[in-house]
Amino acid sequence: EVQLVQSGAEVKKPGESLKISCKGSGYSFTSYWIGWVRQMPGKGLEWMGIIYPGDSDTRYSPSFHGQVTISADKSISTAYLQWSSLRASDTAIYYCARSRTGDYWGQGTLVTVSS
Amino acid sequence: DIQMTQSPSSLSASVGDRVTITCRASQAISNYLAWFQQKPGKAPKSLIYGASSLHSGVPSKFSGSGSGTDFTLTISSLQPEDFATYYCQHYDSYPYTFGQGTKLEIK
């Protein structure tokens, strides 16, 4: 069974750093892209970027390029989304999804940034 | 970036109805289009990829069509569990983008 399991909810202060994770299981982790999607409170889905764990090829939406870093550790079948300096506007649920078509999704990680 | 525009933004329908949601791309994307269903407080679920191919386990009451710039998602015989928000997303070229969503509500 394909599963993507994301790390738990985070509460951070503005300016802090954060790295959230998405662990894949039940399939060959290095053979499928993993994408990240943001959903701000009460809003729609926004595509952030995608990584191919097999060779770490990474693509970003211009809206998020330079704001976040996407990475993966294929030895532990885990993809990451990280911020070096959080803002209040980063408060959202972040989802990972497998493949270009988003065939399987993680359960989401709620990130709250507040002073 | 390719812009995806869904219509309508919201839709009221009754149990048993058949509804159609439209998604238009700002430029041709061949058939590189997916549809997702999201219920409140839940992660999105894949319904359709390749514009018309059903994801495994998705009932045949869901169907998709289109190519190029114009696409539709049709849901037949609406049941209470179908009332949700639906999103289209292209994956033709980077960056991928989503439509703004269509909220399907019970009339």
Side-chain angles (χ1 to χ4, degrees), chain A residues 39 47 95 100-103 106, chain B residues 36 38 42-43 55 91 96:
Chain A
Q39 187 166 40
W47 190 84
Y95 295 103
R100 298 170 62 216
T101 61
D103 56 1
Chain B
F36 302 95
Q38 187 179 33
K42 300 293 186 183
H55 181 62
Y91 51 98
Y96 301 167

Side-chain angles (χ1 to χ4, degrees), chain A residues 61-63, chain B residues 1-6 23-29 33 68-71 88-90 93 95-100:
Chain A
S61 166
S63 299
Chain B
D1 300 3
I2 298 173
Q3 308 303 316
M4 307 300 293
T5 303
Q6 288 181 232
C23 179
R24 175 164 289 174
S26 60
Q27 64 189 71
I29 57 169
L33 186 97
T69 60
D70 294 317
F71 302 86
C88 63
Q89 181 221 308
H90 87 83
S93 58
Y96 301 167
T97 49
F98 288 92
Q100 80 278 16

Side-chain angles (χ1 to χ4, degrees), chain B residues 40-83:
Chain B
K42 300 293 186 183
K45 289 179 59 177
S46 172
L47 296 175
I48 286 170
Y49 64 96
S52 60
S53 297
L54 281 173
H55 181 62
S56 63
V58 174
S60 58
K61 62 188 303 180
F62 293 94
S63 62
S65 66
S67 183
T69 60
D70 294 317
F71 302 86
T72 59
L73 172 69
T74 299
I75 313 169
S76 61
S77 187
L78 282 171
Q79 296 302 305
E81 61 269 23
D82 300 326
F83 291 91

